[in-house]
Amino acid sequence: MIIKDIFFELSLRNIRLNFLRSLLAAIGIVIGVVAITSIGIMGANMTLSVTAQLSESGNIIMISPDSGGGGGSGPGSSSSSSDDDEYIDDSQLRDIEKISGAENLVVALYSESDSISVGGKDGRATIYGLDTSVIPELVDVAEGSYPVSSSGVVVGPTLAERYDLKVGSRIKVGDEDEGQSTVKVNGILEEKGMSMDLNSDNAILADEKWFTSFYGGEGEYDQVNVVAADIDNIDALEDEIDRQLNYREDEVSIQDSGSMLERISESLGTITSFMTAIGAISLLVAAVSIFNVMMMSVTERIKEIGILRSIGTKRREIRRMFLYESLLLGIIGSLIGAVMSFIGGYTLTFGMIGTTDYFFMPESMIYIPVGIVIGVLVCVLSGIYPAWRASNLDPIEALRAE
């Protein structure tokens, strides 16, 4: 135990004697740990945030025209239909309502991305047309009321903020050259966040009668959502809709938030892993720096090694002395990196996601100890060869060194 303490003290002394060089090497580890840990924390928070938002709509089935050529079509399709004139027609909607039953809410949607103008400020927005009686079932109003006339609309909070919309504001919809229609803002919605069924935060929700009178295409729906009263019945509902509507050929595409959530989570995980791998490059650079510092330490201490070997110090004890040095550099650099990662991860998460509600969750915090372990491990691995070389120096040749 005394021998171990002596070699630890020798390692600590060498770090103090070459403080600047050791500091620069440790900074490399700090940067590497901060890079991989902060990116990991941000990725975890992004995944948790998206998961929480999509889970709120986990009981919704989304039905859209199949891109393979199924779904209703006809010569009178409106501009709101896709380029292939794909839509869900009234006959398919009745089948969906029959399958869903009275206990499940069926919402048929028209949608269009169109130009808007508010007080001379131009832009674009998504416009949904739907039965206004179901709007209270889907979204909440933060200010004002739900639509009270066919030309009344409710708008999302993001859109309202961007165009400074208030209750009573008027919005011109459509291109000036192709004809415009003016709608009145009856209410501003509460923020809903990311959703796969109805992205209302940056949209205009209008009466379906106004929508079809302006765009045409009555009875040609872009999407039908089924809000299941019991989330446990979603799979059975999906299977029955698929069986009845796609029994000859694929006419509709059926998805639920759960399957989309899984795909989005996988994509976010892949992106996070890729970004973390880029951050890990800085750790490789730090490993080279640690290796260089340790090799220089061996070269400068050849005579000291010769003296230690001549008084009976064993090779494994020489190796341990240099491994202690690389371990100390790793621990110091990794701990400093962990503290900076906590601060940097919090700042990065707030800046990129806009919320830190999930920052202290275990899925997020786990990246800090992981970063510390990786940083220390990189340092120790970088010190193995220099330690081995030092332990294998010939004692006589080492004593002759100047």
Side-chain angles (χ1 to χ4, degrees), residues 35-301:
I36 63 173
T37 304
S38 298
I39 291 172
I41 288 174
M42 186 198 70
N45 277 264
M46 190 180 297
T47 302
L48 289 168
S49 178
V50 170
T51 300
Q53 291 182 21
L54 292 183
S55 295
E56 294 178 1
S57 57
N59 64 329
I60 298 176
I61 300 171
M62 291 146 287
I63 306 163
S64 56
D66 188 85
S67 58
S73 62
S77 298
S78 70
S79 62
S80 62
S81 299
S82 64
D83 293 338
D84 296 326
D85 290 335
E86 297 169 0
Y87 52 83
I88 295 175
D89 59 31
D90 280 326
S91 174
Q92 292 169 319
L93 176 60
R94 285 193 295 272
D95 288 338
I96 295 171
E97 290 174 335
K98 183 178 179 181
I99 296 166
S100 300
E103 68 274 13
N104 300 307
L105 178 65
V106 178
V107 182
L109 297 172
Y110 300 98
S111 67
E112 177 67 63
S113 176
D114 205 349
S115 302
I116 64 170
S117 178
V118 181
K121 188 175 182 179
D122 299 329
R124 296 190 71 83
T126 299
I127 302 159
Y128 292 107
L130 67 165
D131 183 351
T132 54
S133 65
V134 303
I135 293 181
E137 304 288 339
L138 306 175
V139 289
D140 296 319
V141 170
E143 183 182 347
S145 64
Y146 293 103
V148 295
S149 66
S150 60
S151 61
V153 299
V154 289
V155 298
T158 305
L159 189 73
E161 182 179 0
R162 183 181 305 163
Y163 294 97
D164 195 26
L165 293 171
K166 309 293 182 184
V167 174
S169 297
R170 298 187 180 276
I171 305 172
K172 292 182 179 179
V173 180
D175 292 323
E176 190 173 351
D177 296 337
E178 298 178 5
Q180 293 180 316
S181 179
T182 301
V183 294
K184 182 180 179 180
V185 177
N186 291 150
I188 298 173
L189 302 174
E190 288 186 0
E191 185 175 358
K192 186 179 181 182
M194 184 176 181
S195 176
M196 304 306 299
D197 60 318
L198 186 69
N199 293 312
S200 58
D201 286 355
N202 194 35
I204 299 172
L205 274 62
D207 185 358
E208 61 183 358
K209 294 178 180 178
W210 171 87
F211 190 99
T212 53
S213 67
F214 183 61
Y215 291 111
E218 184 177 358
E220 299 171 358
Y221 305 101
D222 295 283
Q223 183 173 317
V224 175
N225 296 333
V226 178
V227 183
D230 186 352
I231 195 170
D232 294 330
N233 293 335
I234 281 186
D235 290 338
L237 270 174
E238 287 186 21
D239 292 341
E240 186 62 20
I241 293 170
D242 181 61
R243 187 182 69 81
Q244 293 212 26
L245 270 65
N246 294 333
Y247 67 97
R248 289 181 180 175
E249 60 177 344
D250 289 341
E251 295 185 358
V252 296
S253 174
I254 305 168
Q255 295 178 321
D256 61 72
S257 297
S259 60
M260 288 189 175
L261 176 60
E262 185 177 346
R263 288 196 295 271
I264 290 174
S265 296
E266 289 177 356
S267 299
L268 287 175
T270 301
I271 294 170
T272 301
S273 298
F274 177 73
M275 293 173 65
T276 303
I278 293 175
I281 294 174
S282 58
L283 267 181
L284 292 177
V285 175
V288 173
S289 176
I290 295 293
F291 179 84
N292 183 52
V293 166
M294 296 305 299
M295 289 300 293
M296 291 175 65
S297 180
V298 171
T299 302
E300 292 173 353
R301 298 167 67 187

